[in-house]
Amino acid sequence: MGTLERLAEKLADDTMKVQDATGQDRLFMEVSGVLAASSQTLEEAFLTEIRVRLAERTARKFLNSKISEAQVAAEAAAKTKS
C-alpha cells in the first residue's frame, strides 16, 4: 500500500469516527472540500475510501436485519411445533 492509500484510509477512518461521534453524517464532504483545495488525487482516494465504508455499513445493516428476521421466524416456527 502506497502513501496515498495509507493517508486516504487513515483520514477516512478518522472522519467516520468523528461523524459517528458528532452525528454529522456529511462531514466527509467538508473534509473532501478541504482536500480538493490542495490535492485532487488525495481527495479522490479519500472519497473512494468513504464510499466503501458507507456501502459496507449499509450492507451490514441489511444482513443484520435479515439475520434478525430469520431468527424471529425460526422461533415462531419452533413455538408452533410445541
Side-chain angles (χ1 to χ4, degrees):
M1 181 183 298
T3 301
L4 176 66
E5 292 84 8
R6 276 195 315 276
L7 292 173
E9 180 180 9
K10 178 68 173 139
L11 194 53
D13 285 340
D14 292 345
T15 300
M16 295 290 284
K17 288 176 188 173
V18 174
Q19 282 186 185
D20 292 344
T22 63
Q24 293 178 280
D25 63 345
R26 302 292 289 173
L27 177 64
F28 73 93
M29 293 303 295
E30 293 178 46
V31 175
S32 174
V34 171
L35 288 173
S38 57
S39 174
Q40 183 179 2
T41 303
L42 182 54
E43 176 201 16
E44 290 171 3
F46 167 74
L47 286 173
T48 298
E49 293 286 339
I50 289 289
R51 285 187 201 105
V52 167
R53 283 160 178 73
L54 292 173
E56 188 273 339
R57 280 188 179 182
T58 301
R60 182 79 45 209
K61 285 180 187 176
F62 173 77
L63 286 176
N64 288 339
S65 72
K66 290 297 182 181
I67 290 168
S68 295
E69 289 172 13
Q71 288 172 337
V72 168
E75 290 170 5
K79 286 182 182 179
T80 58
K81 288 183 182 180
S82 304

